[in-house]
Amino acid sequence: MIEQLFSAFIVLAILGLIVLSIICLLRSFNMAARSENEKYFQDPITKSRKQFPSLSDSHSKYLSVIIPAYKEVDRLPTMIKDTMSYLEQRQGKDQSFTYELIIVDDGSPDKTSEVALQYSKQYGTDIVRVLTLDVNRGKGGAVRMGVLSARGQWILFADADGATKFSDFTKVENKARDNIKNNNIVVCGSRRHLEQDSVSKRSAFRTLLMYVFHFEVWLFAVKSIRDTQCGFKLFSRESARRIFSQMHVERWAFDVEVLYIAEKLNIPIVEVDVNWQEIPGSKLDPFTASIQMGIDILAIWLRYILGIWTIQRKNE
């Protein structure tokens, strides 16, 4: 009887894995081509439209900050204030420190673009540019479009909620300089040092989801760092060019694919603890996002393992 039950369990488990694999393979990752409208940014003073440069061009700024924004009318101003305070003070001490902000409105139905354009008007379009996407692509799609439009020698993407203090850029930058190899490096801001505290404040169910997610990421994708999801990551221009030109995932699991590609290209990846705090107003439902990201991570792994997606290893 026990042997029969065990055999039935094994059969059901195998069938479950087959069904899950089919679901993952059927998962659509259609990435829309960049529209003609998305190739331009608006100058709110002259009302003219100017074309974004290409990531394949040589850099003309030291730092590009990419800010993906979806319905961020309320949270964006605080983040921009913190960011510009750091950048302006840094440039005041070192005139060679040049920078730009690219705010990517990810098809928001509210006035996110209008709010962002006020900063273009205030600081000028050489400092702040707004990329308004025709439709909602997802955070990964917004980050990718911003990165492909960047002028920086270094490219940082930072979440619009300002959960990470922008002054931590100094730590991330120093870590990048210490570990760069052949112009390639990825530095990830990390909340790993906050994990035990977050466990004590979360429900047992959310804690379980967190540990299952970490294990799945480690098992199927990224093994070099602990926190793949913190929205504060720095790339050398060469690394960004090699990674973001090969992305397929535009929604929440995009961080995992970005780091998976970096590992396969032997690009150094390092982790730096940052000051982070929960900011009210998140658009993310933890349970739904965990299920969706779990499916996406398995789908990413299957597609690369089966050769459906491939990674170009030029300039390795």
Side-chain angles (χ1 to χ4, degrees):
M1 182 66 177
I2 295 177
E3 290 181 357
Q4 291 177 331
L5 288 173
F6 182 73
S7 298
F9 173 78
I10 294 298
V11 170
L12 289 173
I14 292 172
L15 289 174
L17 286 173
I18 292 172
V19 171
L20 181 59
S21 297
I22 292 172
I23 291 172
C24 290
L25 290 173
L26 291 176
R27 173 83 168 90
S28 175
F29 291 102
N30 294 328
M31 184 179 288
R34 188 170 191 169
S35 73
E36 193 64 25
N37 181 58
E38 293 170 338
K39 296 176 182 178
Y40 293 84
F41 63 93
Q42 180 183 346
D43 186 326
I45 296 178
T46 65
K47 305 300 181 183
S48 62
R49 297 174 75 238
K50 301 176 183 178
Q51 190 166 4
F52 281 105
S54 169
L55 187 60
S56 61
D57 298 339
S58 298
H59 73 270
S60 57
K61 296 282 186 181
Y62 178 77
L63 175 66
S64 292
V65 182
I66 312 302
I67 306 170
Y70 180 69
K71 297 196 292 188
E72 292 292 359
V73 168
D74 295 327
R75 301 195 297 182
L76 190 59
T78 301
M79 189 272 179
I80 298 295
K81 181 180 179 181
D82 179 48
T83 301
M84 291 303 299
S85 175
Y86 172 89
L87 295 174
E88 289 179 326
Q89 288 182 32
R90 175 83 177 262
Q91 190 176 65
K93 299 174 183 177
D94 178 8
Q95 290 299 307
S96 67
F97 180 79
T98 56
Y99 59 88
E100 68 171 344
L101 273 65
I102 301 178
I103 304 171
V104 186
D105 177 3
D106 189 20
S108 302
D110 61 5
K111 296 183 178 181
T112 294
S113 279
E114 292 179 35
V115 170
L117 283 167
Q118 289 301 313
Y119 295 106
S120 288
K121 187 174 182 180
Q122 179 180 350
Y123 295 104
T125 54
D126 187 52
I127 300 294
V128 180
R129 296 179 174 182
V130 180
L131 170 52
T132 302
L133 303 185
D134 294 339
V135 296
N136 175 253
R137 288 174 176 264
K139 181 182 174 183
V143 170
R144 177 177 176 271
M145 295 289 273
V147 169
L148 295 179
S149 307
R151 293 176 286 166
Q153 176 184 349
W154 294 98
I155 301 173
L156 173 81
F157 83 75
D159 285 350
D161 60 5
T164 303
K165 283 294 182 184
F166 200 86
S167 56
D168 277 347
F169 171 72
T170 302
K171 291 196 297 184
V172 173
E173 178 190 23
N174 290 338
K175 199 74 170 179
R177 289 176 174 276
D178 291 342
N179 291 274
I180 193 167
K181 180 181 179 182
N182 297 324
N183 294 320
N184 285 285
I185 186 68
V186 178
V187 182
C188 303
S190 176
R191 302 160 296 181
R192 58 187 174 180
H193 59 298
L194 304 173
E195 189 172 295
Q196 290 305 313
D197 183 56
S198 67
V199 166
S200 66
K201 295 178 181 178
R202 286 177 174 169
S203 66
F205 180 67
R206 288 191 64 183
T207 298
L208 178 62
L209 284 178
M210 179 186 72
Y211 283 123
V212 169
F213 176 77
H214 284 325
F215 177 72
E216 185 185 15
V217 170
W218 176 85
L219 183 63
F220 293 112
V222 181
K223 295 177 170 57
S224 54
I225 66 168
R226 175 71 175 174
D227 185 2
T228 59
Q229 301 308 116
C230 182
F232 202 77
K233 293 183 175 67
L234 180 66
F235 302 80
S236 65
R237 189 175 187 84
E238 176 65 10
S239 293
R241 184 188 63 77
R242 296 175 68 195
I243 295 168
F244 284 89
S245 62
Q246 306 196 60
M247 269 180 64
H248 300 87
V249 177
E250 292 192 300
R251 297 205 174 268
W252 294 105
F254 84 96
D255 300 80
V256 175
E257 189 194 14
V258 162
L259 296 173
Y260 180 89
I261 294 171
E263 284 192 346
K264 296 304 179 184
L265 292 173
N266 294 321
I267 294 173
I269 305 172
V270 292
E271 200 168 9
V272 179
D273 294 345
V274 294
N275 292 298
W276 185 91
Q277 60 179 337
E278 189 83 42
I279 304 295
S282 173
K283 316 299 184 301
L284 188 67
D285 174 69
F287 178 73
T288 303
S290 296
I291 298 300
Q292 187 62 68
M293 288 174 68
I295 292 172
D296 285 355
I297 290 165
L298 184 55
I300 290 167
W301 178 76
L302 281 171
R303 278 169 165 79
Y304 280 114
I305 288 296
L306 295 176
I308 299 170
W309 293 346
T310 59
I311 297 173
Q312 299 299 318
R313 302 177 186 273
K314 293 179 181 179
N315 301 324
E316 190 167 333

